[in-house]
């Protein structure tokens, strides 16, 4: 069974902390994505990557960065967490148009 | 201070009834559309897709209808069951293999 695994289901961090959200896929997909999900706003694309060491900004990249050192792993970094980054974060990988999502990480910044 | 999120549209149906969830998409050049189901505590899961050269596609208990003239997509669920309770998202492919998601509709199935 193919999988996208996000390392944490729930995280609580303090304002100003550097936060790492990890995502690993076992499908050898080229494409990986990070979204945040907020009620009534749907899924908004933060960053994506079409290859190792490659990254592209999505619609809401401010306050975030990413790292893709290996094909299977795509990390989302909050350089200095703020309360408005409290959200559900979803990672996905894709083969062409077929996306597979992880279960999400619910991050609370206090 | 704490921000107030927008409310999610909700469709409430009786068990056994048919459900219709609607979605308006934004890009007339989009050529591929997908419906996802997201249950509580899980990531979105693929339900059914349709390409722009079709106007209807059927799966098991689900049908997707595409009206390109008015940029409208709908998901029909036949004989809705309690296990269908979830948030449903439509998504369009913007031809760069990036999906643009709708805001979602919460389907609540009443026993």
């Amino acid at each position: 069974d193919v999988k996208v695994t996000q390392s944490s289901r729930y995280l609580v961090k303090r304002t100003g902390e550097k936060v790492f959200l990890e995502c690993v896929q076992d499908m050898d997909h080229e494409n990986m994505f990070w979204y945040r999900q907020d009620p009534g706003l749907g899924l908004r694309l933060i960053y994506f990557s079409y290859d190792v060491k490659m990254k592209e900004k999505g619609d809401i990249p401010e306050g975030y960065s990413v790292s893709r050192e290996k094909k299977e792993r795509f990390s989302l970094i909050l350089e200095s967490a703020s309360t408005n980054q409290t959200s559900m974060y979803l990672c996905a990988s894709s083969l062409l148009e077929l996306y597979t999502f992880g279960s999400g990480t619910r991050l609370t910044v206090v | 201070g704490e921000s107030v999120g927008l409310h999610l549209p909700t469709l409430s149906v009786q068990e056994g009834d048919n459900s219709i969830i609607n979605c308006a998409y934004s890009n007339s050049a989009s050529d591929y559309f997908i419906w996802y189901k997201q249950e509580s505590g899980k990531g979105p899961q693929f339900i059914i897709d349709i390409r722009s050269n079709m106007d209807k596609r059927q799966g098991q208990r689900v049908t997707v209808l595409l009206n390109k003239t008015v940029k409208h997509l709908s998901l029909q669920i036949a004989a809705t069951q309690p296990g269908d309770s979830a948030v449903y998202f439509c998504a369009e492919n913007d031809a760069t293999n990036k999906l643009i998601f709708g805001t979602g509709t919460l389907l609540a199935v009443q026993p």
Side-chain angles (χ1 to χ4, degrees), chain B residues 10 12 17-18 24 42 56 59-61 66 74 81 83 100 105-106 108:
Chain B
T10 300
S12 184
D17 286 352
N18 297 333
K42 297 183 180 179
K56 180 179 181 178
Q60 188 176 16
R61 278 202 310 119
L66 175 63
S74 68
Q81 302 168 359
I100 302 169
T105 297
L106 174 63

Side-chain angles (χ1 to χ4, degrees), chain B:
Chain B
E2 182 178 348
S3 62
V4 178
L6 299 176
H7 292 292
L8 199 63
T10 300
L11 175 65
S12 184
V13 300
Q14 291 294 126
E15 182 178 356
D17 286 352
N18 297 333
S19 302
I20 300 176
I21 301 170
N22 296 303
C23 176
Y25 64 92
S26 56
N27 188 344
S28 56
S30 294
D31 60 359
Y32 178 64
F33 305 88
I34 311 105
W35 279 100
Y36 286 89
K37 174 186 181 183
Q38 186 177 21
E39 296 175 278
S40 181
K42 297 183 180 179
Q45 292 182 295
F46 173 93
I47 304 174
I48 192 168
D49 58 359
I50 189 168
R51 296 206 174 271
S52 59
N53 61 353
M54 303 171 70
D55 52 21
K56 180 179 181 178
R57 190 162 187 225
Q58 287 186 285
Q60 188 176 16
R61 278 202 310 119
V62 294
T63 301
V64 55
L65 299 177
L66 175 63
N67 185 331
K68 294 181 287 294
T69 303
V70 295
K71 294 192 285 186
H72 184 266
L73 198 64
S74 68
L75 177 71
Q76 300 179 0
I77 304 174
T80 312
Q81 302 168 359
D84 295 326
S85 294
V87 176
Y88 290 81
F89 292 95
C90 66
E92 59 184 297
N93 187 319
D94 70 354
T96 64
N97 289 336
K98 293 201 313 295
L99 293 183
I100 302 169
F101 287 85
T103 54
T105 297
L106 174 63
L107 177 64
V109 182
Q110 310 300 324

